[in-house]
Amino acid sequence: GINGGHTNLSDGYYVGNTPPVPRLGIPALKMQDAGNGFRTTDPRIVGTVTSWPCALALAATWNRAAVGGFARAAAAEFALKGANVVLGPGLNLHRVARGGRNAEYLTGEDPVLGAELAKPWVDGFREGGIVTTAKHFVLNNQETNRYSYSARASERALREMYYAPFRAAVRAGVGAYMCSYNQINGTPACSNEKTLREDLEGKDLGFDKGFVVSDWGAAHGTTLDQGLDVDMPGTDGFYSPAALIANASIAAVDAAVRRVLAPLVDLDLVGRPSCAPGSAACA
């Protein structure tokens, strides 16, 4: 299990950070949001990033090539700024017309559209050496009472509609999944063994080459056994060494670490240098 430490905007551009392990060549996870490209979270970034069309605008093109072109260009910008994890694509179906994050989702109201566009989005970032993070898993359809509401869906609806874009992302080689703030059928998404272990990692979606990270502040405890590998931003203590020793086995921690390393190995990021945040090399 990985404790994210804390969001550090004074010493870097990234909304999420984990420490590197130089002895083993393991890089820091440097995670950044991607609603319209590289998110402006530090004054030094102002004027140096591209404001791309939002994901919903991309979806409205119904054009795989356009989505792939955006992803390749945005990936190049992420790499220039030293990030190696993009917190996207957003793949939730629209179910509330006034949903506060509808613009972030590549699916619109159509699971087939989302599934078709997930692949070029993931492919483009992978080509640029950036780990992709499908979000927000799952049923994250509104911002109102987002920390407490329970979204309810039948097994058939989950499999045929809500999982379809996420399933396509797995097949495209997505490197991580972000669990959401809401509850799913009465259980918090980041503590939901049914959706994370049985469905996401099981035969339904088959996600077995990457890790699960919480949305920022969405963890409700040390839930490694339920399927949460990385706690962000890590200030709650749920994944501190003491908490892991008390609540998880060594075997479970080792398995989580392997899942975190899998996309880094897949994209050949282990041992690869990147620019230091705030340096002239980080464009």
Side-chain angles (χ1 to χ4, degrees):
I2 301 295
N3 176 20
H6 61 282
T7 302
N8 188 341
L9 302 183
S10 64
D11 189 36
Y13 298 139
Y14 318 115
V15 298
N17 307 269
T18 65
V21 185
R23 178 176 59 88
L24 300 175
I26 298 172
L29 295 180
K30 294 180 284 186
M31 309 177 183
Q32 193 68 2
D33 281 320
N36 292 77
F38 194 94
R39 181 179 177 184
T40 305
T41 49
D42 185 293
R44 292 169 291 182
I45 305 173
V46 175
T48 72
V49 298
T50 304
S51 181
W52 300 94
C54 68
L56 184 56
L58 289 173
T61 69
W62 291 70
N63 189 311
R64 300 180 188 89
V67 173
F70 151 77
R72 288 188 294 274
E77 191 165 316
F78 270 66
L80 282 171
K81 294 189 179 301
N84 55 15
V85 181
V86 57
L87 300 174
L91 297 174
N92 288 105
L93 288 181
H94 292 187
R95 281 296 175 264
V96 178
R98 294 185 297 174
R101 304 184 78 169
N102 283 354
E104 295 183 38
Y105 294 140
L106 194 61
T107 49
E109 296 178 288
D110 188 337
V112 176
L113 176 64
E116 288 292 327
L117 298 183
K119 178 174 171 51
W121 207 105
V122 171
D123 283 347
F125 274 93
R126 280 177 53 85
E127 289 175 20
I130 307 296
V131 177
T132 50
T133 309
K135 66 181 187 183
H136 302 85
F137 196 75
V138 62
L139 300 180
N140 185 221
N141 304 121
Q142 67 182 52
E143 287 294 277
T144 303
N145 299 319
R146 69 177 184 174
Y147 297 109
S148 58
Y149 81 92
S150 179
R152 299 187 177 275
S154 67
E155 285 292 309
R156 182 176 180 180
L158 283 169
R159 288 187 165 84
E160 294 184 3
M161 297 182 63
Y162 296 102
Y163 284 169
F166 290 102
R167 188 180 294 113
V170 172
R171 293 171 180 168
V174 74
Y177 271 78
M178 182 187 293
C179 50
S180 51
Y181 290 120
N182 55 284
Q183 298 178 32
I184 303 164
N185 293 328
T187 302
C190 290
S191 308
N192 199 309
E193 188 171 4
K194 169 66 172 63
T195 54
L196 295 180
R197 285 281 190 235
E198 294 182 26
D199 295 349
L200 179 59
E201 296 178 6
K203 63 181 180 179
D204 198 325
L205 277 76
F207 180 58
D208 60 358
K209 295 180 180 178
F211 61 92
V212 174
V213 58
S214 71
D215 204 342
W216 272 229
H220 292 266
T222 310
T223 55
L224 200 63
D225 289 338
Q226 286 74 37
L228 178 62
D229 301 309
V230 180
D231 173 27
M232 277 291 164
T235 54
D236 49 34
F238 292 144
Y239 278 54
S240 67
L244 291 172
I245 289 170
N247 296 289
S249 66
I250 294 297
V253 173
D254 286 347
V257 171
R258 284 193 292 271
R259 288 190 288 270
V260 171
L261 292 178
L264 301 181
V265 173
D266 178 46
L267 295 180
D268 196 28
L269 298 179
V270 176
R272 181 188 297 184
S274 64
C275 66
S279 70
C282 271

